[in-house]
Amino acid sequence: MKKNQATAVAETKKQRSKLCREIIRHRSVYLLALLPLVYYIIFKYIPIWNAQIAFRDFKAVQGVVGSPWIGLENFREFFNSFYFWSLLRNTVMYSVGKLLISLPLSIILAIAIYECTRPVLRKVVQTLAYLPHFLSWVIMYGILLTLLAPGDGVFNDIIQVFGGHPIDFLSNTKAFPWVVLFSDAWKEMGWSAIIFIAALMGIDVSLFEAAMVEGASSWQRVRYITLPSILPVIVTVLILKLGTILDAGFNQIFMLYSPQVYSVADIIDTWVYRQGLLEFKFGLATAVGLFKGVFGMILVLFANWISKKATDSALF
Amino acid sequence: MKNRKQHLKPQMQNKKVKLTRADHTFNIVVDIFMVIILIAIILPLWSTITLSFRPVDFIGSNLDGMFLSPWKWSTAAYEALLGNNGFLMAFMNSFKILVGGVVCALVLTIPMAYVLSVQSLPGRKIINMIVIIPYVFNVGMIPAYLLVRDIGLINHLPAVFLPGAISTYNCIIMRQFFVGIPGELKESARIDGCSEMQVLFRIVLPLSKAIVMTIGLYYGVAFWNDFFNAMLYLNDSYLNPLPILLRNILIGSGMNENLEVTAFANAPINAIKAASVFMSAIPMVIAYPFIQKYFTKGTLLGSVKG
């Protein structure tokens, strides 16, 4: 018994000294980690610490720690407000709508690029399709203005040629959501197709050759070989997108919207921005941001877990 | 990438197989779809470009404007912009943010990604947690705003890029690449007496040019395009980067203080708006071929499981 204990103690000591040796051996790695970790503490963890003002009646002069606690008052104000459901609805509507439009589009685009038999056309489309992703939403807003402006936009000229009445797309509550959904599809379609193109390139060509010898038409090849081969990637993309369902695209909505369309345009992030930084209700805005953060975290972790189970690939 | 041709066109290699009618319709449908996509992408860009070259005495609808012949183009809008101090200053500010941001981001992201890729490091899991937690749990813009205000960065250009100087997503992609470098290379260097610092600089980085370029370009695009941080943290109009100036021009607010060209410019105001859109996009368009060269690889890496 005693002997056993002694060996156990010796064992742990041995392990500990081994750990110490390992730490010493890696000392320059810790040195490398120092600066980024300091950065993380300042720029990522102090904001988390600051988030406590969600439970306080924040006054700028009193600071984060000096402001009085008010419990869940800020959250209550938000949940009871008339905005809560409309913000949640708009946010989910935009992110689901974007998914429904751009996911099929990007899959079809990827397959078309893959199947296209004209090398020049393929190369040109492939090159241009990625370009809009790199334009900011400010630039996109400028482009959309030339297309959609009520007095002098190209679309309204076309509508008038066909005898219709001009529509102010950006301040019409019926048209605005569609502008958001389709401008996003236009901007991101090519970029989202990349991952599917990559998956398509991984398909074993001999499968196609075999199918051709067996007499399968191009349609059948797409239906029975191409689509099933990229299905796991589609599922992964879908799951990971569902994890960020509360991010409906702040930059886009912020650039495009105006007070006339707040009722259909306002998402959680734009509302937080206006409440916090324009009306200085820091506590309320932080509470809403925190609500979104917690909810978003649950969704992301859940999505990541499912993705790991279903397709054996995960973000982290 | 090299064998893409064979990948993409299986029916071309096997000439013995005859194309049926269904195959022909399929090819035609694909071609038509591609052409539609092409037009849909080009049309908005083309209408903006032609608008920016529109002369002040142009008569006709915008639809006509899109077919304006190059002999009637006017560069007045560009002359007005390039002769304007506000615009040049904004361009310089954006350039400073771009360079400062990319340098800062790489100096912070490369070591972090490398540290996370050293499998034998005691405490690696803890460091990994430190990196992942803020990524998953995002507390929103107000707490971040308070931080930047409290450390006195308001009205300093670094306020635009410092809050985003490490993107955890980019960091994960880069770590993934570092993990993929054969361990024997690093191990043999260590046995030869290299410190971890030397392993990073002599072995890992020279093998990682593609990923460093990709991530650097991702950061560059993000900083060049950023208008939100600039809007929050820079109140002084002398510090305005290009996206802020562009936004002011587009929504027509404070046009006179930002751009004194309106009164005496001999270009239509819409042409000036379109020209400033195009000028802001130009650096991205120039950088685009380089971006394209690397990003497919980078995005592919992002999809690899961690």
Side-chain angles (χ1 to χ4, degrees), chain B residues 14-91:
Chain B
N14 208 334
K15 287 237 165 83
K16 271 174 265 169
V17 178
K18 253 176 94 180
L19 291 184
T20 63
R21 227 158 117 208
D23 292 335
H24 277 300
T25 25
F26 179 83
N27 287 344
I28 289 168
V29 168
V30 167
D31 286 349
I32 290 174
F33 179 80
M34 295 284 271
V35 171
I36 290 173
I37 290 288
L38 193 61
I39 293 171
I41 295 167
I42 288 178
L43 209 66
L45 300 175
W46 181 248
S47 78
T48 309
I49 292 170
T50 48
L51 180 57
S52 73
F53 284 109
R54 194 171 296 180
V56 73
D57 55 357
F58 175 78
I59 303 162
S61 72
N62 285 281
L63 220 45
D64 304 333
M66 285 176 64
F67 304 104
L68 188 66
S69 88
W71 285 274
K72 289 189 181 153
W73 284 10
S74 147
T75 52
Y78 290 93
E79 284 158 26
L81 276 179
L82 289 176
N84 180 269
N85 277 333
F87 186 82
L88 296 178
M89 208 150 58
F91 210 92

Side-chain angles (χ1 to χ4, degrees), chain B residues 107-283:
Chain B
V107 163
L108 287 167
T109 307
I110 293 173
M112 186 86 269
Y114 179 69
V115 168
L116 292 175
S117 78
V118 179
Q119 306 286 343
S120 58
L121 183 73
R124 188 178 67 95
K125 285 229 163 91
I126 299 170
I127 299 176
N128 204 24
M129 285 300 274
I130 293 176
V131 171
I132 293 291
I133 288 172
Y135 179 59
V136 177
F137 180 51
N138 181 1
V139 290
M141 59 182 86
I142 308 293
Y145 173 80
L146 289 178
L147 164 78
V148 172
R149 203 190 61 179
D150 291 346
I151 57 177
L153 276 179
I154 297 280
N155 275 337
H156 293 281
L157 289 182
V160 177
F161 59 79
L162 274 182
I166 297 187
S167 138
T168 303
Y169 184 73
N170 288 347
C171 189
I172 292 174
I173 294 178
M174 201 179 247
R175 180 201 65 184
Q176 221 47 47
F177 188 92
F178 289 161
V179 168
I181 293 174
E184 294 86 357
L185 281 174
K186 295 179 230 171
E187 210 42 59
S188 64
R190 282 186 198 119
I191 289 166
D192 289 345
C194 278
S195 71
E196 288 298 328
M197 207 81 91
Q198 286 167 318
V199 173
L200 172 60
F201 284 108
R202 300 227 174 124
I203 311 287
V204 174
L205 275 186
L207 289 171
S208 310
K209 272 190 197 124
I211 195 72
V212 171
M213 283 295 283
T214 310
I215 299 297
L217 286 164
Y218 281 175
Y219 277 122
V221 171
F223 293 136
W224 182 266
N225 283 338
D226 176 86
F227 77 96
F228 183 65
N229 282 346
M231 181 179 72
L232 285 192
Y233 304 134
L234 306 176
N235 309 316
D236 192 338
S237 67
Y238 287 104
L239 292 171
N240 275 352
L242 213 45
I244 297 287
L245 181 75
L246 177 60
R247 180 165 176 267
N248 290 341
I249 292 173
L250 289 174
I251 61 180
S253 86
M255 182 79 95
N256 291 324
E257 52 188 274
N258 290 303
L259 212 66
E260 307 87 356
V261 289
T262 42
F264 49 86
N266 47 0
I269 185 71
N270 280 340
I272 291 185
K273 285 185 180 181
S276 49
V277 167
F278 193 56
M279 291 290 288
S280 314
I282 273 185

Side-chain angles (χ1 to χ4, degrees), chain A residues 181-252:
Chain A
L181 295 181
F182 281 103
S183 59
D184 177 76
W186 185 79
K187 188 173 186 291
E188 302 299 339
M189 174 177 62
W191 184 253
S192 336
I194 290 184
I195 190 162
F196 299 119
I197 294 175
L200 288 169
M201 303 241 228
I203 300 178
D204 188 355
V205 187
S206 61
L207 282 176
F208 289 112
E209 283 164 355
M212 256 182 293
V213 171
E214 299 286 340
S217 74
S218 302
W219 300 99
Q220 285 166 324
R221 290 205 323 260
V222 170
R223 168 73 185 76
Y224 293 106
I225 300 174
T226 314
L227 276 178
S229 319
I230 60 169
L231 194 64
V233 181
I234 298 175
V235 172
T236 311
V237 169
L238 194 66
I239 292 169
L240 293 181
K241 279 267 155 104
L242 287 178
T244 56
I245 206 161
L246 292 182
D247 293 313
F250 173 85
N251 282 343
Q252 178 191 21

